[in-house]
Amino acid sequence: MSIPENIKEALKDQIENAEVPQEVDRRVRQSFLEFHQKKESKPMKKRLVAFSIAAAILIPTSVFASLGGTSYFFKESASINGLVNEGTKRALSEGLSVPMNEKITDHGLTVQFSEVYVEDSKVLVHYKITGEDGKLVPYEFDTRGLNVISDGKKNGKQVENPTYREKGLEGFSVLSFIGTGKEDRLPFTLTDAAGNEIKTGIAEKDQPEGVLAFVANAKLPESIRLNVNIDRIGATKGSWKAQLTIDQSKAKQASEKAH
């Protein structure tokens, strides 16, 4: 079966313009050379070039995930404000995140923290919220009694947080999925060993599963804790509170690899 000329040209253009990250190219070459160390010849060099090109074609699908195992941060759903960038993925490909197994349960819902990645001024935490069956809780909201502007649904499916208007206030408010009793604060903060809050920028997915991201203007203290203060998940009210120590044992290595 012959290949149409337009497909040939597209493949040729992709191969010629594909860029292979240095670390990936180095590993490909090293593995290939070790395998053929007793067969070095001109044909071998041709095979090496072909192997590097094949790697370049595959790279757009998942460059670092194949090197870094099963880290959640390689998933598309982990993308948050550009903080899981190429430098971060390079460090993750070296196994520089730390597993967590912290769970907080109330009213049949469990907030679980499964993985943390730390650089000198950045913390990423993977979380998920499950029901008694172990499955992710539905991404649903209770908007009864609210002057709803948008229910956040598309074709009947919840795709974003609802927005509503509060009496006496201009603009609109966003109904959070993970709620806290203090309206002017998020349910998550970082503190140092003395309990003082660390000033950081914070980003969160605010969905049944996602990433919490903290970025400080300076290097983080040697001891940091994640403070959890949740009083509502979706339509379920309860109390999910804890203070969890963040493992920074790989932070220095991660910072070096990421920059």
Side-chain angles (χ1 to χ4, degrees):
M1 181 177 67
S2 61
I3 301 175
E5 287 299 319
N6 62 332
I7 295 180
K8 288 182 181 179
E9 289 297 320
L11 287 172
K12 180 181 177 182
D13 182 68
Q14 181 176 6
I15 291 172
E16 291 178 346
N17 292 288
E19 295 185 3
V20 184
Q22 292 182 354
E23 179 62 16
V24 176
D25 187 68
R26 183 187 67 78
R27 289 188 179 202
V28 169
R29 291 173 181 274
Q30 181 178 351
S31 298
F32 195 93
L33 288 171
E34 289 174 353
F35 183 77
H36 292 278
Q37 59 183 344
K38 295 182 180 180
K39 302 179 182 180
E40 185 170 354
S41 63
K42 290 183 179 179
M44 184 279 289
K45 292 178 181 178
K46 291 181 180 179
R47 289 196 297 272
L48 175 58
V49 171
F51 193 28
S52 294
I53 292 174
I57 294 174
L58 294 174
I59 277 167
T61 60
S62 185
V63 177
F64 298 110
S66 60
L67 301 174
T70 58
S71 172
Y72 176 82
F73 298 117
F74 284 116
K75 295 185 178 182
E76 184 178 351
S77 56
S79 176
I80 184 167
N81 291 13
L83 295 174
V84 188
N85 54 34
E86 292 304 301
T88 299
K89 291 178 181 178
R90 184 166 55 247
L92 287 164
S93 72
E94 298 285 346
L96 295 178
S97 66
V98 179
M100 294 180 71
N101 187 26
E102 302 287 355
K103 299 179 180 180
I104 314 166
T105 300
D106 190 31
H107 282 68
L109 303 185
T110 297
V111 182
Q112 179 177 347
F113 302 92
S114 305
E115 181 183 7
V116 62
Y117 170 82
V118 186
E119 292 177 17
D120 53 9
S121 60
K122 179 167 70 176
V123 178
L124 303 176
V125 182
H126 168 220
Y127 74 88
K128 60 182 177 180
I129 305 172
T130 58
E132 293 179 337
D133 58 1
K135 297 180 180 179
L136 289 179
V137 297
Y139 183 45
E140 298 174 346
F141 296 81
D142 182 1
T143 59
R144 290 176 297 180
L146 297 178
N147 183 10
V148 177
I149 300 173
S150 168
D151 62 7
K153 294 180 180 180
K154 186 175 183 179
N155 297 325
K157 182 180 179 181
Q158 196 78 44
V159 295
E160 60 185 14
N161 298 52
T163 57
Y164 62 99
R165 184 171 288 112
E166 295 185 78
K167 187 176 181 180
L169 296 178
E170 295 184 359
F172 62 89
S173 299
V174 178
L175 182 60
S176 64
F177 181 74
I178 304 173
T180 178
K182 299 180 179 180
E183 294 184 1
D184 61 336
R185 298 174 67 90
L186 292 173
F188 309 101
T189 56
L190 293 183
T191 56
D192 59 21
N196 300 312
E197 183 176 345
I198 301 170
K199 300 300 181 182
T200 66
I202 305 173
E204 60 174 342
K205 281 290 186 178
D206 197 38
Q207 293 183 5
E209 183 173 27
V211 173
L212 308 175
F214 303 86
V215 180
N217 291 328
K219 186 175 181 180
L220 292 164
E222 291 185 4
S223 178
I224 57 176
R225 295 180 176 85
L226 171 64
N227 296 270
V228 184
N229 182 23
I230 300 170
D231 71 353
R232 178 179 52 77
I233 295 174
T236 303
K237 293 183 178 180
S239 180
W240 296 266
K241 297 182 180 181
Q243 189 177 74
L244 312 174
T245 299
I246 297 295
D247 188 332
Q248 296 188 80
S249 60
K250 298 183 179 181
K252 182 178 180 181
Q253 289 175 278
S255 298
E256 292 172 352
K257 288 289 182 180
H259 296 103

